[in-house]
Amino acid sequence: MKPYIPELSEQRMVRRAPNRAIDFGPDSDYIFDCLKDVEASFGLQGFPGLAPEHIPARALIKQLIVWWRTLEPADALQQAAYTRLPGTIRLIDTISEWWTERAGKAHRD
């Protein structure tokens, strides 16, 4: 793994994500398939013993960012899983932003 110093934008994405499991709606399969593919192709376990739907969004996005910034694909299978990470990270960030906005509107009403 490469050394990694988080960028400010990455730190903001992590802080923006709820520190609890959230419903990713119709994007759940895409997000969790990416997680499983990276784990399988690189021989990693990001959240041992925890069902994907119980992973806090903050922990999930943080782990995916760390993998994206530190993993070095060695074959086509790893490369295929690795290239999905930025899109999955962005998707989680977008959904997290939606949850934040939704929570803010609930408090203003």
Side-chain angles (χ1 to χ4, degrees):
M1 287 189 159
K2 302 179 273 189
Y4 167 61
I5 299 172
E7 294 180 4
L8 182 58
S9 62
E10 294 165 346
Q11 292 173 354
R12 287 180 176 153
M13 281 190 268
V14 171
R15 280 195 309 266
R16 190 169 25 247
N19 199 20
R20 60 183 171 72
I22 61 173
D23 180 5
F24 292 113
D27 297 310
S28 292
D29 287 344
Y30 182 84
I31 291 168
F32 297 132
D33 284 349
C34 178
L35 172 65
K36 286 186 248 179
D37 290 348
V38 171
E39 288 177 326
S41 65
F42 284 92
L44 302 169
Q45 277 193 304
F47 305 93
L50 195 57
E53 62 274 5
H54 295 154
I55 301 169
R58 185 172 296 168
L60 179 59
I61 196 169
K62 183 177 182 180
Q63 183 62 73
L64 295 180
I65 289 169
V66 168
W67 284 344
W68 175 55
R69 301 279 274 142
T70 61
L71 292 175
E72 298 182 55
D75 59 37
L77 191 61
Q78 289 180 348
Q79 185 65 34
Y82 179 81
T83 58
R84 290 178 55 201
L85 284 169
T88 303
I89 291 164
R90 201 73 195 120
L91 183 56
I92 294 169
D93 185 49
T94 300
I95 294 168
S96 294
E97 182 67 26
W98 179 84
W99 276 97
T100 301
E101 288 177 11
R102 183 175 173 215
K105 286 180 183 176
H107 293 297
R108 281 184 256 146
D109 291 344

